[in-house]
């Protein structure tokens, strides 16, 4: 019986090559990895879209809840006389602070300014300066500390500028308090030169004649809900 040939591994697989049938081919590995990545991206996109839909639904729900709360509060407060009383008291206290601010802080600043720049009629110069300060703080939507310094002729580096800064911030605090009220307060400058002094609208400023005619408004009235919580301060002239 002839001997069976003795085959060596290197003869069956020349050049030492051996292919594992279970091993994945390089191209298949890349293709499988790409497919898996695409699937993950699609899943992530779907999750994001679902989250966006949930956020939109939640936003609508919150807005509807806010609207319901507003309606409930409106109905609850509509007949609350005690709330109206509290609001009126708040405006009254603010008006008192405002009057003190005009008669002390603004008047004091105006007097210092006039003293540094003397004029023939210092009394009228002070009144006119207070008027300009009031117009800047309470008559504009964008009160400016820089413009206040110009009114009193203060340089940014001198002592008067520090006084201006204090006055400016006090005035802004009053504005913010008025705007925070449920019924916002406001300052009324409306007045006609030459009209009679009216006891329910005007209070004469300084040594002005209470029986004279209105010359100009020094400080506006403070009002809210049609109620005048403090009167206009006015300078008058004698009747002809």
């Amino acid at each position: 019986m002839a001997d069976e040939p003795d085959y060596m591994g290197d003869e069956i697989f020349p050049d030492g090559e051996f292919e594992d049938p279970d091993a994945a081919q390089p191209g298949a590995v890349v293709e499988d990895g790409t497919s898996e990545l695409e699937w993950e991206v699609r899943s992530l996109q779907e999750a994001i879209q679902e989250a966006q839909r949930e956020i939109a639904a939640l936003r609508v729900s919150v807005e509807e809840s806010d609207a319901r709360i507003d309606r409930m509060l409106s109905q609850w407060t509509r007949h609350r006389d005690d709330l109206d009383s509290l609001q009126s008291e708040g405006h009254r206290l603010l008006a008192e602070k405002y009057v003190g601010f005009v008669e002390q802080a603004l008047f004091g600043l105006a007097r210092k300014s006039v003293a540094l720049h003397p004029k023939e009629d210092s009394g009228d110069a002070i009144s006119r300066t207070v008027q300009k300060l009031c117009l800047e703080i309470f008559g504009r939507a964008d009160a400016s500390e820089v413009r206040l310094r110009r009114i009193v002729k203060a340089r940014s580096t001198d002592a008067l500028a520090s006084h201006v800064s204090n006055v400016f911030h006090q005035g802004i605090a009053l504005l913010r308090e008025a705007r925070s009220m449920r019924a916002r307060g406001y300052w009324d400058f409306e007045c006609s030169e030459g009209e009679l002094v009216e006891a329910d609208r005007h209070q004469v400023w300084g040594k002005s004649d209470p029986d004279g005619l209105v010359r100009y408004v020094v400080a506006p009235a403070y009002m809210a809900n049609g109620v005048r919580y403090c009167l206009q301060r006015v300078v008058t002239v004698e009747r002809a």
Side-chain angles (χ1 to χ4, degrees):
M1 181 175 180
D3 294 335
E4 295 181 1
D6 187 8
Y7 294 106
M8 301 299 293
D10 55 354
E11 293 177 352
I12 298 175
F13 303 103
D15 300 326
E17 295 180 358
F18 177 78
E19 294 185 1
D20 183 354
D22 296 329
Q25 295 301 314
V29 172
V30 173
E31 183 177 350
D32 291 345
T34 302
S35 299
E36 185 176 351
L37 180 59
E38 290 175 346
W39 180 84
E40 290 180 355
V41 169
R42 284 196 300 271
S43 298
L44 182 58
Q45 289 173 336
E46 291 173 358
I48 292 172
Q49 291 173 355
E50 180 63 24
Q52 289 174 336
R53 286 193 292 269
E54 291 179 358
I55 291 171
L58 180 60
R59 184 179 293 113
V60 170
S61 177
V62 170
E63 290 174 353
E64 291 175 349
S65 297
D66 286 343
R68 286 197 298 270
I69 291 171
D70 288 342
R71 288 194 296 269
M72 291 171 62
L73 287 175
S74 177
Q75 293 173 359
W76 181 62
T77 59
R78 185 173 299 165
H79 304 294
R80 288 286 303 275
D81 294 337
D82 57 327
L83 294 180
D84 291 337
S85 299
L86 287 173
Q87 183 175 238
S88 295
E89 181 65 10
H91 285 300
R92 187 187 65 79
L93 292 174
L94 176 55
E96 288 183 359
K97 287 191 284 187
Y98 161 65
V99 170
F101 173 71
V102 170
E103 295 181 349
Q104 297 175 33
L106 295 188
F107 178 78
L109 177 59
R111 187 172 56 182
K112 282 186 178 181
S113 174
V114 172
L116 292 173
H117 308 90
K119 296 188 177 181
E120 292 183 5
D121 188 347
S122 60
D124 187 64
I126 291 172
S127 299
R128 286 292 189 182
T129 302
V130 173
Q131 178 194 42
K132 292 174 184 177
L133 293 171
C134 283
L135 283 168
E136 176 61 33
I137 297 173
F138 302 108
R140 297 178 61 106
D142 59 341
S144 164
E145 184 175 342
V146 173
R147 286 193 293 266
L148 287 184
R149 286 203 301 267
R150 290 174 185 162
I151 290 170
V152 298
K153 299 179 176 62
R155 296 185 179 87
S156 59
T157 55
D158 61 26
L160 193 58
S162 177
H163 194 166
V164 170
S165 182
N166 290 334
V167 165
F168 174 73
H169 288 97
Q170 288 179 52
I172 294 300
L174 291 172
L175 288 171
R176 287 175 178 165
E177 187 173 348
R179 291 168 184 165
S180 70
M181 302 283 192
R182 185 161 62 94
R184 289 190 175 189
Y186 63 94
W187 281 266
D188 176 28
F189 288 85
E190 187 174 352
C191 186
S192 298
E193 183 179 355
E195 67 179 331
L196 295 171
V197 173
E198 300 178 23
D200 61 341
R201 290 183 56 214
H202 307 125
Q203 181 172 325
V204 296
W205 176 265
K207 298 180 180 179
S208 288
D209 182 4
D211 295 322
L213 302 176
V214 174
R215 184 181 172 198
Y216 60 86
V217 174
V218 176
Y222 175 70
M223 300 184 65
N225 265 350
V227 178
R228 188 174 287 104
Y229 287 93
C230 77
L231 307 178
Q232 291 179 342
R233 269 47 178 178
V234 297
V235 167
T236 64
V237 292
E238 293 182 1
R239 299 189 194 190

